[in-house]
Amino acid sequence: MESFGSVYILSTRMLTLTLRCNGRRHGWLLVAALVLSACMGSVRAEDGYALWMRYVPVAPGVAHEYQRHLGEVIAPDQTATQRAALEELQRGLSGLLGSAPRVSTESAANHVLVLGTPESSRWVAPFRQELETLGGEGYLLRQARVAGHDVVMVAARTDIGVLYGVFHLLRLLQTGASLENLEVRQSPAIKLRVLNHWDNLDGHVERGYAGGSLWDWHTLPDWQDPRYTDYARANASLGINGTVLNNVNANALSLTPTYLAKAAALADVFRPYGIRVYLSARFSAPIEIGGLRTADPLDADVQRWWREKADEIYALIPDFGGFLVKANSEGQPGPQDYGRSHADGANLLGDALAPHGGVMMWRAFVYAHDVPQDRAKQAYSEFAGLDGAFRPNVLLQVKNGPIDFQPREPFHPLFGAMPHTPLMMEFQITKEYLGFATHLVYLGSLYEEALNADTHVNGEGSTVARVVDGSLDGHALTGIAGVANIGNSRTWSGSHFDQANWYAFGRLAWDPRQSARDIAAEWAAMTFSPDSEVVRPVVEMMMASREAAVDYMTPLGLHHVMARGHHYGPGPWVDGGPRADWTSVYYHRADRNGIGFDRTRQGSDAVSQYAPAVAQGFGDVARVPESLLLWFHHVPWDHRLRSGRPLWDELVHHYTRGVRQVQAMQATWDSLQGRLDAPRHRQVAAFLRIQENEAQWWRDASVAYFQSINGRPMPDGEVPPPHPLSYYQALQFPFAPGDGR
Ligand code: GCW
């Protein structure tokens, strides 16, 4: 395996440099041991590859305590997952504590670290009953006296639980936690915690900003890049237990024997890490690769074809997770092509998978060409009436908001509206609408806001998180998906800070009640340094970053006002083209008198798709949160806001505030120079400069455009855009990354 971020450069020159680190000079006699233990961080090649699993030496103060508890390990190594857990532990402890633990089957020492399940370890066997309560993926970390020994135990009912527990333990060490009286009981709140890769078979990643696809379809299945194992490790460290390998805009070829063999090779790599492989299925595959004349879900040949396809897949991948389908949306084929419903389509594939225990994840992201209805209403109109019509192994996968991964949206009205159907949350981790990989925007806050939103369907406290984790309606089959931001870039995510979004998704998928701030702190400590002088400012930057992006892109509830197609940069003037709901003017509806989409009862009435308590709040211009004002209301430019400012002034104020916030992030980052490794510090600083320029561009272009519509002067104290509107409108980016193809 490629050394995961532990590349030590020991040329003579580096050694000399290292000897001077921290302003001290050491005699040559001390050489390697001292150098490595005192200054390892400064000679590492910090290129981001190691993600949050850098395992750099802990502070000397805690090292001693950790050594005492963890110097000797008793662990089974019979199964692939047991070996993965032990290897991770050895890798982690070697890096963190400077030496590998002794591994034995029987203890001689007074202090031991024990890994195992009741079956694999006699030390753990007495805890069998307690472990039963933690389920198939849960784990227990405990410091206890067992058989006269002082034991730190990483115990679980299954090997996967132990692996997850090892990652938890390593996280504690990386963040400087104490092991005294350690007591952690964890089990995931959501069953399926899945990444969705929008990766095409040609290596292009739709909405990908981190290079090309990680999957080298050409060399699979013969060559299994070690990076696939590191990908699995990273996901397992968060508890992510599934991955959909290919784009929802699917190519039927991924279901042919050639590609199934490649997917099976990936499944083999991922299996020890508890990760199941899923595939996006093209609904018309029976025609395209099966030679049938129809893909009608009620056609017996079509049904047989899918059953046989499922049998074929499970023969190659016995733990195959199931299918993800985008149907009758944005030109994709689907059951409605044959006059059938989405339930007919989903059940067709659900039935084929059921004998093998697979699940069918059917997407609710649909809106049709020929429907003049407000796009925000269409998914609900299509699906709410189908509640109860799906097979038990079908989940409906719903984006967090009713439009499309905007910087801010209200929660999707389907959450809470389909009590008899398991609804999966679909978040986007890749930042299609949030500045791609160069803008520092921490999405933990966005996810938290969506999960904490209260649907009020069963009274107060009926949060989206409770819909998704099944507790509101008593579902055992539950799921959450994140559209991955992972590519073959050395940083995996295209930037150092975008790694935090993968991390936050995984941590919230495990427990949607965690706070975005705590997750940010954990991530920052592991990714940069546990030093509070680093963590505190980094967390402040992260926590302010999402609101900053909302401010400079889409303040006060504006949405979908970015450039056409690639979505890079502002485009509030976008109009015309193939469909109205792909334009900006459709969404902001600005004219001389006012701005905003009237979704009240007098307008499109989208508010009525929410429970009455929510609908009343959103529908009342005096009560709607100002952050969603223009999502739900069309208001005059001089409408007074809570600040006392008229709307136009407030809008410009937000744009400017967003730019200022980016400048504040830059200042904070600059102040960290010297506390972090130079390569990562430099890249983040450069990206923040890009972000500042682009935030300014967003602000100026938006102000210039809206000013051209309302004819109003710049509010007092605001600097006018430096260019005329025509300048911004003329900018072209034919090669902006990530565009659909
Ligand atoms: O967010 C939009 C993207 C499309 C994407 C689509 C979807 C995969 O612009 O690129 O297609 O949503 O979610 O299906």
Side-chain angles (χ1 to χ4, degrees):
M1 174 190 295
E2 180 160 0
S3 81
F4 203 125
S6 321
V7 185
Y8 301 113
I9 307 157
L10 282 174
S11 72
T12 316
R13 205 174 124 251
M14 286 304 295
L15 206 54
T16 311
L17 270 177
T18 310
L19 285 166
R20 290 198 179 120
C21 81
N22 297 339
R24 285 195 295 269
R25 286 205 65 138
H26 301 284
W28 276 102
L29 287 176
L30 294 174
V31 191
L34 262 183
V35 165
L36 282 177
S37 63
C39 312
M40 196 130 50
S42 62
V43 293
R44 296 169 64 89
E46 294 280 17
D47 59 6
Y49 185 85
L51 295 162
W52 45 88
M53 297 171 290
R54 291 161 57 247
Y55 304 141
V56 293
V58 298
V62 277
H64 180 69
E65 186 208 332
Y66 292 163
Q67 278 285 9
R68 191 162 60 86
H69 284 293
L70 311 174
E72 178 158 338
V73 176
I74 302 181
D77 64 354
Q78 299 306 301
T79 68
T81 301
Q82 290 170 0
R83 283 191 292 277
L86 184 56
E87 273 165 27
E88 194 66 34
L89 187 76
Q90 287 172 311
R91 180 187 293 112
L93 294 185
S94 307
L96 289 159
L97 307 183
S99 63
R102 280 185 310 281
V103 182
S104 63
T105 43
E106 279 307 317
S107 173
N110 187 25
H111 291 84
V112 278
L113 168 60
V114 169
L115 313 189
T117 63
E119 286 71 39
S120 68
S121 168
R122 70 176 178 81
W123 296 76
V124 175
F127 300 91
R128 181 184 301 271
Q129 254 186 350
E130 181 176 358
L131 294 173
E132 286 298 319
T133 63
L134 296 175
E137 294 176 301
Y139 55 85
L140 169 71
L141 306 187
R142 175 175 291 163
Q143 196 219 344
R145 285 296 289 175
V146 182
H149 294 264
D150 187 353
V151 174
V152 170
M153 209 168 47
V154 179
R157 218 184 77 193
T158 64
D159 289 345
I160 288 298
V162 175
L163 177 67
Y164 289 163
V166 164
F167 278 114
H168 192 127
L169 178 67
L170 291 171
R171 187 160 65 232
L172 293 177
L173 306 184
Q174 287 170 280
T175 51
S178 167
L179 298 182
E180 294 306 330
N181 304 319
L182 178 65
E183 175 73 22
V184 175
R185 298 166 55 85
Q186 283 278 316
S187 44
I190 298 173
K191 191 166 177 214
L192 309 176
R193 306 175 298 279
V194 180
L195 288 180
N196 289 183
H197 288 266
W198 286 356
D199 294 20
N200 294 341
L201 299 181
D202 65 2
H204 175 74
V205 181
E206 184 159 346
R207 311 307 175 184
Y209 313 103
S213 175
L214 208 53
W215 323 133
D216 186 356
W217 294 110
H218 188 64
T219 55
L220 281 165
D222 302 298
W223 166 237
Q224 289 149 27
D225 192 322
R227 195 159 183 176
Y228 303 151
T229 307
D230 289 337
Y231 165 86
R233 290 177 50 228
N235 283 323
S237 79
L238 306 173
I240 289 172
N241 64 2
T243 181
V244 185
L245 300 176
N246 60 323
N247 193 349
V248 288
N249 290 332
N251 188 322
L253 289 179
S254 58
L255 298 177
T256 56
T258 310
Y259 280 96
L260 290 177
K262 296 169 190 283
L266 288 173
D268 290 342
V269 176
F270 301 160
R271 188 167 299 113
Y273 295 88
I275 297 162
R276 286 174 185 232
V277 154
Y278 298 72
L279 290 171
S280 292
R282 186 160 161 91
F283 198 78
S284 52
I287 302 173
E288 288 152 14
I289 61 168
L292 302 189
R293 279 200 324 269
T294 177
D296 182 349
L298 301 193
D299 181 283
D301 288 337
V302 172
Q303 293 169 355
R304 184 173 325 109
W305 189 86
W306 280 109
R307 273 199 308 273
E308 287 170 2
K309 185 50 74 183
D311 295 345
E312 180 189 347
I313 295 174
Y314 278 92
L316 290 166
I317 311 173
D319 56 351
F320 180 65
F323 293 131
L324 170 65
V325 172
K326 170 176 177 178
N328 293 119
S329 170
E330 300 187 330
Q332 293 300 311
Q336 292 179 330
D337 303 349
Y338 308 95
R340 315 298 185 192
S341 74
H342 280 281
D344 294 329
N347 292 343
L348 163 76
L349 277 80
D351 285 343
L353 293 160
H356 307 281
V359 302
M360 175 60 241
M361 302 178 295
W362 193 265
R363 292 178 92 226
F365 179 68
V366 303
Y367 59 102
H369 279 273
D370 40 1
V371 182
Q373 197 185 35
D374 172 5
R375 176 170 154 189
K377 292 179 69 177
Q378 291 186 37
Y380 179 102
S381 305
E382 195 72 62
F383 284 97
L386 293 175
D387 190 26
F390 295 96
R391 298 285 190 265
N393 65 336
V394 174
L395 298 112
L396 195 62
Q397 184 168 309
V398 183
K399 288 188 181 182
N400 60 284
I403 296 291
D404 192 11
F405 301 136
Q406 296 302 297
R408 170 164 283 124
E409 300 195 28
F411 68 92
H412 200 298
L414 276 174
F415 290 111
M418 298 184 68
H420 306 292
T421 309
L423 296 197
M424 277 181 83
M425 169 61 82
E426 179 176 320
F427 282 130
Q428 196 180 49
I429 310 174
T430 189
K431 304 203 314 298
E432 173 182 358
Y433 297 100
L434 283 132
F436 298 2
T438 43
H439 292 211
L440 194 169
V441 182
Y442 172 53
L443 298 178
S445 335
L446 187 159
Y447 303 156
E448 180 179 57
E449 180 177 296
L451 291 164
N452 288 345
D454 196 341
T455 70
H456 282 272
V457 284
N458 292 351
E460 213 180 316
S462 309
T463 60
V464 170
R466 293 193 56 213
V467 175
V468 175
D469 73 16
S471 61
L472 193 66
D473 301 306
H475 291 292
L477 180 59
T478 55
I480 182 165
V483 178
N485 65 349
I486 301 163
N488 61 11
S489 138
R490 189 70 191 158
T491 59
W492 299 86
S493 300
S495 80
H496 297 296
F497 271 92
D498 275 313
Q499 298 176 351
N501 295 328
W502 177 7
Y503 186 87
F505 167 75
R507 298 286 287 132
L508 285 166
W510 180 273
D511 177 5
R513 286 178 184 78
Q514 288 178 100
S515 95
R517 179 177 285 274
D518 290 350
I519 294 172
E522 226 174 66
W523 174 83
M526 294 192 285
T527 302
F528 294 118
S529 159
D531 177 356
S532 64
E533 299 293 302
V534 172
V535 172
R536 201 175 15 81
V538 169
V539 170
E540 290 317 318
M541 288 169 71
M542 291 168 77
M543 292 307 292
S545 63
R546 187 277 189 126
E547 203 58 42
V550 170
D551 271 344
Y552 63 72
M553 290 179 174
T554 55
L556 298 174
L558 285 177
H559 50 289
H560 215 299
V561 288
M562 48 290 303
R564 195 194 296 275
H566 51 60
H567 301 154
Y568 172 62
W573 48 82
V574 169
D575 195 1
R579 40 191 305 173
D581 53 10
W582 282 356
T583 68
S584 303
V585 297
Y586 172 90
Y587 294 101
H588 65 62
R589 308 204 165 195
D591 60 22
R592 207 168 168 79
N593 303 316
I595 180 171
F597 199 132
D598 184 358
R599 292 191 165 111
T600 67
R601 299 178 78 88
Q602 290 70 45
S604 79
D605 199 24
V607 289
S608 297
Q609 294 183 335
Y610 293 96
V614 177
Q616 279 153 22
F618 285 163
D620 180 351
V621 72
R623 286 171 57 204
V624 68
E626 278 185 356
S627 58
L628 292 172
L629 176 67
L630 305 179
W631 186 286
F632 287 112
H633 298 270
H634 186 86
V635 286
W637 288 108
D638 44 22
H639 174 81
R640 289 267 155 205
L641 294 187
R642 281 162 207 145
S643 63
R645 280 188 280 267
L647 174 62
W648 167 238
D649 294 29
E650 184 75 17
L651 198 62
V652 179
H653 171 74
H654 277 262
Y655 284 125
T656 306
R657 193 175 72 177
V659 180
R660 296 242 166 85
Q661 186 57 43
V662 177
Q663 289 160 346
M665 294 200 290
Q666 286 181 300
T668 306
W669 190 253
D670 287 348
S671 75
L672 288 170
Q673 196 172 12
R675 285 191 179 273
L676 303 176
D677 56 285
R680 290 188 300 170
H681 189 272
R682 233 186 349 261
Q683 196 194 43
V684 171
F687 279 17
L688 283 169
R689 278 194 297 280
I690 296 175
Q691 184 175 8
E692 186 201 4
N693 288 335
E694 295 187 356
Q696 189 72 51
W697 167 34
W698 263 97
R699 181 241 182 227
D700 293 336
S702 306
V703 168
Y705 170 73
F706 288 123
Q707 210 175 12
S708 80
I709 300 288
N710 65 18
R712 297 193 171 227
M714 285 303 285
D716 282 349
E718 291 285 355
V719 180
H723 302 287
L725 175 61
S726 55
Y727 166 87
Y728 302 106
Q729 288 174 317
L731 297 173
Q732 297 283 329
F733 305 95
F735 303 111
D739 211 352
R741 273 199 216 143

